[in-house]
Amino acid sequence: MKIEVKKGEGVKRELAIEIPQERFQQKIEQVYQTINQKARVKGFRPGKVPRQILETRFGQAAQQQAVEEIIPEAYAESIQQEKLHPVDHPEIHDVNVKDGKVSFRAVLEVKPEIEIADYKGLSVKRKSSEVTDEDVLKTLDYFKQAIPQAEGKETVIDDAFAHGMGFPNLSEFKKSLTRQIEMDKDRHNRIDVENQIAEKLLAKAKLDVPSSLVKRHLEQRLAQERQHHKQHSHGNSPEEVSKCEEDLRAQLQPHAEREVKLYLIMDKIAQQ
């Protein structure tokens, strides 16, 4: 089997593959064997139909089936032989059957080469998760504002209020609030640290991001947004929906690129 690899821009590769006549003929024989077992031809038992009759009745379909089966097989062997690592399915072009040989082009994107300088021991700052009296007072004030006030009476945060919230007294209510605020702060601080690490890795890494991965990820994000919009839409016209989706696609594009880039970086680090 002849294989020619052309390097395109960035991570794009193009394979020109030619399958020899002998190999294609073997595939055609396999297809005819399958057809012979399944064909219902008057006067013949399954598996006993003469080849000439099969070729007359199914010749074109058999060749098409053989082509459809042998192309993915040849492509899989080619990328393995050339040690290529595709990130998505290839685009198949220019399929041609001539003189018993099959040739085609496969256009694909491969995993990018990634350079990450000095990523070990990254320095990040973690905010304190300590809860202050001010934090507790703000939360109590939120409760105060959220509860409907009786006419002419202001809500008072005291033991009676705490008891109404399911606590024995105000002190225990404050302790519970403190624990909850601390957990919330800790969660936000962890996310903040992760974002700091991500930004530093993105700044240090050099790579070409495969557009096919970005496109796939973007479509997944758009599908989620479509579902959300469907559940919360209020009878918008098709034109409004289309315009909204165009705006959303433009808005999500840089986020999709960033997320794919970060995924590839983390995958690279995990392999080292």
Side-chain angles (χ1 to χ4, degrees):
M1 188 164 63
K2 294 181 180 178
I3 307 167
E4 183 183 343
V5 182
K6 291 182 181 179
K7 185 176 181 181
E9 182 180 354
V11 293
K12 284 192 178 295
R13 300 291 184 273
E14 181 181 309
L15 300 179
I17 301 171
E18 183 180 276
I19 302 165
Q21 183 178 1
E22 299 79 15
R23 172 80 179 272
F24 185 47
Q25 191 59 41
Q26 289 173 4
K27 176 57 67 176
I28 289 178
E29 290 297 326
Q30 292 173 11
V31 170
Y32 270 118
Q33 287 174 16
T34 302
I35 291 174
N36 201 357
Q37 295 300 320
K38 296 180 179 179
R40 296 292 180 265
V41 179
K42 189 175 181 180
F44 299 96
R45 288 180 296 162
K48 300 297 183 180
V49 184
R51 175 63 173 263
Q52 186 177 0
I53 294 178
L54 290 175
E55 289 180 355
T56 301
R57 289 200 174 194
F58 306 106
Q60 188 173 351
Q63 177 166 295
Q64 181 63 31
Q65 181 67 26
V67 169
E68 291 177 1
E69 289 184 13
I70 206 167
I71 283 178
E73 292 174 6
Y75 170 73
E77 290 176 22
S78 298
I79 60 174
Q80 184 175 13
Q81 182 176 320
E82 298 297 328
K83 295 181 172 58
L84 299 174
H85 303 284
V87 296
D88 206 349
H89 297 297
E91 295 177 5
I92 303 298
H93 302 281
D94 302 334
V95 177
N96 188 33
V97 181
K98 186 177 180 181
D99 299 328
K101 302 175 183 178
V102 179
S103 61
F104 65 95
R105 291 189 306 112
V107 179
L108 61 146
E109 289 186 316
V110 297
K111 274 189 175 182
E113 293 293 326
I114 304 176
E115 297 178 14
I116 315 174
D118 305 324
Y119 69 88
K120 294 182 179 179
L122 288 176
S123 176
V124 295
K125 293 182 179 179
R126 183 184 176 102
K127 298 175 183 176
S128 172
S129 298
E130 182 182 354
V131 180
T132 65
D133 291 340
E134 185 181 0
D135 293 328
V136 177
L137 288 173
K138 282 182 179 179
T139 306
L140 289 172
D141 189 57
Y142 168 79
F143 277 101
K144 187 176 180 180
Q145 299 297 327
I147 295 174
Q149 298 180 13
E151 186 175 345
K153 293 185 178 180
E154 184 177 345
T155 301
V156 178
I157 304 296
D158 55 11
D159 286 341
F161 177 86
H163 188 70
M165 297 294 292
F167 295 88
N169 52 54
L170 181 58
S171 176
E172 291 301 317
F173 182 39
K174 286 183 176 181
K175 286 179 183 178
S176 177
L177 286 179
T178 299
R179 287 193 295 270
Q180 185 60 52
I181 295 169
E182 185 176 21
M183 285 191 291
D184 288 344
K185 277 193 168 188
D186 192 58
R187 180 171 56 84
H188 283 109
N189 290 343
R190 282 201 309 272
I191 294 172
D192 180 60
V193 168
E194 290 170 1
N195 286 336
Q196 288 182 57
I197 293 172
E199 290 304 321
K200 287 180 181 288
L201 288 174
L202 288 166
K204 288 177 175 290
K206 293 181 181 179
L207 70 154
D208 293 312
V209 181
S211 60
S212 58
L213 280 186
V214 175
K215 182 180 179 181
R216 190 202 308 168
H217 187 57
L218 179 59
E219 292 303 324
Q220 290 172 348
R221 292 283 300 269
L222 283 170
Q224 293 171 355
E225 292 296 332
R226 285 191 204 103
Q227 186 63 28
H228 177 77
H229 183 268
K230 188 176 180 180
Q231 293 172 350
H232 299 86
S233 63
H234 302 287
N236 292 341
S237 69
E239 292 78 13
E240 290 174 323
V241 171
S242 178
K243 178 64 169 63
C244 179
E245 186 162 311
E246 286 179 20
D247 295 342
L248 186 60
R249 183 181 292 274
Q251 179 185 337
L252 290 177
Q253 178 75 26
H255 296 286
E257 290 178 1
R258 179 186 183 278
E259 288 164 5
V260 168
K261 188 176 181 181
L262 187 59
Y263 163 77
L264 290 168
I265 294 168
M266 298 303 294
D267 183 60
K268 174 71 174 180
I269 290 173
Q271 292 174 14
Q272 292 181 349

